[in-house]
Amino acid sequence: MIGDSSSREKAEAFLLREARLLDEAQYEQWLALFTQDAWYWVPSQAGQTSPRDTVSLIYDDRRLLETRVRRLLNPSIHAQNPPSRSSRIVANVTLETDRDDGILETRSKLLLTEYRRNRLRTYAGTAWHRLVRDGKAAFRIASKRVDLIDCDGELEGLVVPL
Amino acid sequence: MPVRSEQAHSALVIDDAATQDFRVHRSVLVDPAILERERRAVFDVCWLYAGHESEIPQPGDFRTRSVAGRPILFSRDSQGRARVFLNTCRHRGATVCRESQGNARLYFCFYHGWSYNRDGELVGVPGADAYPAGFDKKAHGLAEPPRTESYRGFVFVNFDASAMPLDEYLAGAKEYIDLVLDQSPSGEMEIIRGTQDYDIKANWKLLVENSFDDYHLLTTHKTWLDYLRKSGVEMKPPEQGHLLPTHGVGKALGNGHAVIDNVNFRGRPVARWIPIYGEQAKPEIERLRAELVARLGEARAARVADTNRNLVIFPNLVINDGSSVTVRTFHPVSADLMRVRAWALGPRDETPAARAVRLDSFLTFYGPGGFATPDDVEALEAVQAGISATWREVPWSVMTRGIAKPGEQLNTDELHLRAFWKQWDRLMNGARPGP
């Protein structure tokens, strides 16, 4: 333990930093938060247990995550012309596991409001992060799952990362 | 109450072979009165996709969904037959089944407690003795659309009792459905669990056009093509007269159905490997290829694996058999809003390794989080935004690509789009599907 801040507080600070990078559209820095074998998963069904027997909304391995970020930075991403502005509230952070080998799992609530083309859209859900300790103070994301409350509802584009 | 059309048009589609003119009046994408006419003249006389047999394998399995505005119960009955019922209680009309999917022994209407069995028969009426002697439970089963028929697992309904049989209606589209099914060793394909549901703020017919329009690929999907290129997928410079790296044609298939039929360059989880799938997937793809050749012979195996196709079954079913297979249907909510539902289709008994390649290919292109669909949605919404307030000043959309060519037309031409619009125009002028 470093200083007097608990693992939960450090993890929360990390999640807030992640949200801030996304709010500020710093996608390359966001990508740098992930490990080389990371995945990012947005299921299409409530309680979905596998991305391999059911269609998801998003299931990126590291290579596809890089592609997603490259696409976000590509001027030809028409779905981001004009770009979105987004505002994330990350709250109710709890530490689900805190293992001796440096792996933590957090559960947090996400409320994302996206503004684009004179429309406001809201995404709400639960995020599950598996974090690995990276040095003394920082973490890296080994996996991130976001369960949207309307994952099986009528969605609009999920172009901006959750 | 019928909505009055703002302006009566002498023609909504101009198709003049003599002057090589083909135009679509933009009011048909905007005018609520035209949508009301479409509901009767198109959706109520054509075969509409209800679901796939594989979604409901066991007796009592059901899915609820909406087809042409009607809530339906797509279910398997006690005899093992796929059935479609109108999801409305015969007593007061409440939707009887209010879950999106599941398995039921009885469909129980919670309002007054009427219940129906898997065959749609009314089996429970609380306080039945209060009804007069002439009340016949047998006459109060769940209603069905006038016609339900299927072709190789795809179940369709028709709200016109005198419609031509589905088999005839599908006409030349059957050949292409067969090609899709030939990729499965068992000859059977299944809907993979889960759906992608999304709204597009655009007229439903724009998604018909977009679903098999290869002319938009280079510009709308530049980021997706960049992804393929960067992943090592070979894209040769187009040959003379072509816009895309390989040859592909547009074909009309009868009754408004049409297809683009392309030599593949984008990879096929069925037996055409591209670097995106990764070296580890190569042996599996080679094994699939060998199975295809052994079962179908070299020529048919090449036809199945080395070509891809985007098929529109008039009016609103799309089967795109390319870098994955998607089944997509969409219904108008209003003239400028549609609701889309898409499924992934894969061979039954596919290995986990092949299924993983298929799902990755599906997700990287399709859906709200894909690398292509959001740009299609953007394009369609841009069209709707562009025309909704200008159609009086700029009334026509030109659709003449390829019209002067003798013989074959390319996938980047518009013969297949014109085939859709010609049928749409025929039906809107009172014709019924058929010769």
Side-chain angles (χ1 to χ4, degrees):
Chain A
M1 289 296 122
I2 303 296
D4 58 0
S5 74
S6 69
S7 291
R8 196 204 67 80
E9 282 160 357
K10 278 193 251 172
E12 180 173 38
F14 178 80
L15 297 181
L16 298 187
R17 192 175 141 226
E18 186 206 1
R20 180 171 175 165
L21 288 174
L22 288 172
D23 280 356
E24 294 173 354
Q26 304 289 331
Y27 297 122
E28 277 172 321
Q29 283 100 311
W30 176 66
L31 178 65
L33 300 181
F34 287 81
T35 64
Q36 284 305 309
D37 58 353
W39 47 263
Y40 165 53
W41 182 24
V42 185
S44 77
Q45 306 293 303
Q48 186 175 333
T49 53
S50 168
R52 286 298 180 217
D53 64 3
T54 302
V55 168
S56 301
L57 294 167
I58 293 170
Y59 181 60
D60 288 348
D61 59 10
R62 171 77 195 203
R63 183 180 55 96
L64 289 175
L65 199 57
E66 288 171 7
T67 303
R68 185 171 301 281
V69 166
R70 214 165 44 236
R71 188 172 123 77
L72 282 162
L73 299 172
N74 190 324
S76 295
I77 179 167
H78 310 297
Q80 279 291 287
N81 179 20
S84 301
R85 288 182 215 136
S86 58
S87 168
R88 288 164 183 75
I89 306 287
V90 173
N92 307 9
V93 180
T94 52
L95 203 54
E96 300 293 302
T97 57
D98 184 3
R99 298 191 335 212
D100 291 340
D101 60 1
I103 294 179
L104 289 76
E105 286 178 308
T106 61
R107 175 186 186 274
S108 60
K109 287 291 172 180
L110 172 67
L111 182 62
L112 162 59
T113 310
E114 181 186 5
Y115 172 79
R116 183 168 181 267
R117 284 204 277 131
N118 210 32
R119 289 210 298 264
L120 270 184
R121 297 186 286 179
T122 302
Y123 299 92
T126 305
W128 305 84
H129 284 77
R130 197 158 49 90
L131 304 176
V132 289
R133 284 203 172 82
D134 179 32
K136 283 182 181 167
F139 298 99
R140 297 245 255 151
I141 303 169
S143 67
K144 175 178 180 178
R145 168 182 175 147
V146 183
D147 289 304
L148 293 173
I149 58 173
D150 57 348
C151 61
D152 56 356
E154 309 283 344
L155 289 162
E156 295 186 61
L158 292 174
V159 179
V160 167
L162 297 171
Chain B
M1 198 177 75
V3 183
R4 255 185 81 86
S5 190
E6 186 179 336
Q7 187 176 321
H9 310 290
S10 52
L12 299 174
V13 174
I14 288 178
D15 174 18
D16 186 354
T19 58
Q20 296 180 334
D21 190 11
F22 198 102
R23 283 178 282 161
V24 174
H25 200 275
R26 292 179 175 183
S27 64
V28 308
L29 304 169
V30 176
D31 189 346
I34 290 188
L35 173 62
E36 287 309 306
R37 278 173 57 204
E38 277 175 344
R39 291 191 194 279
R40 304 286 88 79
V42 176
F43 287 93
D44 283 359
V45 301
C46 289
W47 285 98
L48 304 174
Y49 181 64
H52 193 271
E53 295 252 6
S54 62
E55 294 179 88
I56 46 167
Q58 301 299 326
D61 284 351
F62 68 84
R63 294 281 192 279
T64 56
R65 52 185 58 141
S66 172
V67 173
R70 281 86 158 178
I72 66 156
L73 174 59
F74 174 53
S75 60
R76 197 163 291 276
D77 73 10
S78 64
Q79 308 300 309
R81 291 170 303 186
R83 301 281 291 273
V84 176
F85 299 106
L86 295 174
N87 191 5
T88 177
C89 184
R90 294 297 301 274
H91 178 229
R92 281 295 182 278
T95 48
V96 174
C97 181
R98 300 185 304 137
E99 291 154 63
S100 65
Q101 56 182 282
N103 182 282
R105 190 161 293 282
L106 285 176
Y107 299 103
F108 178 82
C109 178
F110 81 97
Y111 189 15
H112 299 91
W114 285 31
S115 55
Y116 305 84
N117 66 17
R118 291 171 171 175
D119 300 330
E121 296 162 343
L122 177 61
V123 291
V125 177
D129 54 358
Y131 284 97
F135 178 78
D136 181 9
K137 276 208 277 193
K138 287 195 180 64
H140 289 83
L142 289 175
E144 296 174 79
R147 300 274 294 281
T148 302
E149 293 175 20
S150 69
Y151 181 77
R152 300 198 69 179
F154 295 88
V155 179
F156 294 74
V157 295
N158 201 311
F159 292 98
D160 177 6
S162 62
M164 68 199 297
L166 174 68
D167 198 71
E168 276 176 50
Y169 177 83
L170 290 175
K174 286 188 292 182
E175 176 193 340
Y176 284 90
I177 296 175
D178 293 348
L179 261 176
V180 175
L181 296 182
D182 265 358
Q183 66 191 277
S184 172
S186 66
E188 287 184 46
M189 299 284 279
E190 65 183 8
I191 294 286
I192 300 169
R193 204 180 321 156
T195 59
Q196 293 185 330
D197 293 353
Y198 51 100
D199 286 343
I200 306 179
K201 290 173 178 55
N203 186 272
W204 68 276
K205 298 184 290 300
L206 291 173
L207 187 55
V208 173
E209 292 184 356
N210 173 266
S211 292
F212 64 172
D213 168 18
D214 261 352
Y215 188 34
H216 80 288
L217 193 70
L218 288 176
T219 50
T220 301
H221 298 306
K222 185 176 180 305
T223 66
W224 185 74
L225 291 168
D226 285 350
Y227 156 60
L228 292 195
R229 244 179 242 113
K230 189 161 171 67
S231 305
V233 176
E234 187 192 9
M235 281 186 237
K236 293 181 190 141
E239 287 170 34
Q240 182 67 31
H242 288 63
L243 290 170
L244 299 177
T246 55
H247 183 65
V249 298
K251 281 197 250 181
L253 302 172
N255 288 332
H257 319 311
V259 72
I260 49 174
D261 186 345
N262 300 339
V263 175
N264 181 265
F265 69 93
R266 297 152 57 166
R268 302 263 291 140
V270 47
R272 198 176 165 277
W273 184 86
I274 52 171
I276 282 175
Y277 302 159
E279 286 296 327
Q280 80 287 351
K282 227 172 184 172
E284 174 66 12
I285 303 272
E286 279 164 9
R287 189 189 66 74
L288 290 171
R289 182 87 190 199
E291 190 283 330
L292 276 184
V293 171
R295 179 163 49 89
L296 304 170
E298 282 286 354
R300 180 73 174 175
R303 179 78 172 108
V304 168
D306 299 337
T307 63
N308 56 267
R309 50 216 130 256
N310 294 21
L311 173 66
V312 170
I313 295 175
F314 191 95
N316 66 336
L317 174 63
V318 170
I319 302 175
N320 283 356
D321 177 17
S323 46
S324 59
V325 187
T326 186
V327 175
R328 172 198 291 164
T329 187
F330 38 95
H331 291 268
V333 177
S334 58
D336 57 1
L337 176 64
M338 76 181 100
R339 196 146 281 170
V340 186
R341 172 163 286 184
W343 296 266
L345 191 75
R348 177 162 287 175
D349 305 320
E350 195 167 37
T351 64
R355 185 55 61 91
V357 166
R358 175 175 303 284
L359 284 173
D360 283 345
S361 300
F362 184 84
L363 289 191
T364 48
F365 194 91
Y366 291 119
F371 300 149
T373 295
D375 291 329
D376 283 319
V377 171
E378 188 74 9
L380 270 48
E381 294 190 352
V383 171
Q384 198 73 32
I387 64 175
S388 61
T390 63
W391 63 270
R392 295 170 199 81
E393 292 80 24
V394 190
W396 296 100
S397 285
V398 60
M399 207 168 290
T400 51
R401 290 184 61 79
I403 202 166
K405 288 181 190 172
E408 178 179 278
Q409 298 209 4
L410 297 180
N411 50 3
T412 52
D413 291 331
E414 290 172 341
L415 175 141
H416 40 292
L417 276 68
R418 292 191 292 272
F420 168 84
W421 281 107
K422 283 180 190 178
Q423 178 74 352
W424 180 89
D425 195 45
R426 281 186 66 233
L427 299 188
M428 290 293 278
N429 281 301
R432 302 262 312 279

